[in-house]
Amino acid sequence: MAARIYQRPKNAMQSGKARTSEWVLEFEQSEAQRPDPLMGWTGSADTQSQVVLTFPSMEAAQAYAAKYGIPARVHATPPRHLKIQAYADNFR
């Protein structure tokens, strides 16, 4: 029951940065998903993949994983690159 810890990315559909400072502990899937023959939906019996825990810092998420013996990998957040330009630059 491995987990991964990462920082929430910025929503690509909005300009705001709400909830981007939160760190997320998410369990990896332990079994593959399979299609339901009647409805065609995909699913599995793995209920741990539905659990998503949020923490205020990376250290808090790592402490939680260590306390409960969960092997967790930390995924680093890529740096943000801002492209500063003026509106007039569109007409050069």
Side-chain angles (χ1 to χ4, degrees):
M1 166 167 84
R4 64 186 186 118
I5 298 171
Y6 63 94
Q7 194 170 16
R8 230 183 251 278
K10 184 178 110 31
N11 187 351
M13 303 301 291
Q14 297 177 349
S15 62
K17 295 179 184 172
R19 300 177 68 185
T20 57
S21 62
E22 292 181 348
W23 285 82
V24 178
L25 186 139
E26 190 174 68
F27 292 97
E28 296 176 354
Q29 289 186 345
S30 62
E31 65 180 52
Q33 291 187 345
R34 58 189 183 282
D36 181 69
L38 179 63
M39 298 298 288
W41 299 339
T42 58
S44 68
D46 180 26
T47 58
Q48 287 293 335
S49 64
Q50 300 173 5
V51 177
V52 177
L53 302 172
T54 58
F55 297 92
S57 66
M58 179 181 61
E59 291 79 19
Q62 288 177 327
Y64 178 86
K67 178 179 178 182
Y68 290 102
I70 301 168
R73 291 181 291 135
V74 177
H75 293 272
T77 306
R80 294 189 181 125
H81 300 287
L82 296 177
K83 184 178 177 184
I84 308 281
Q85 70 180 31
Y87 179 69
D89 293 341
N90 293 332
F91 302 102
R92 285 188 180 178

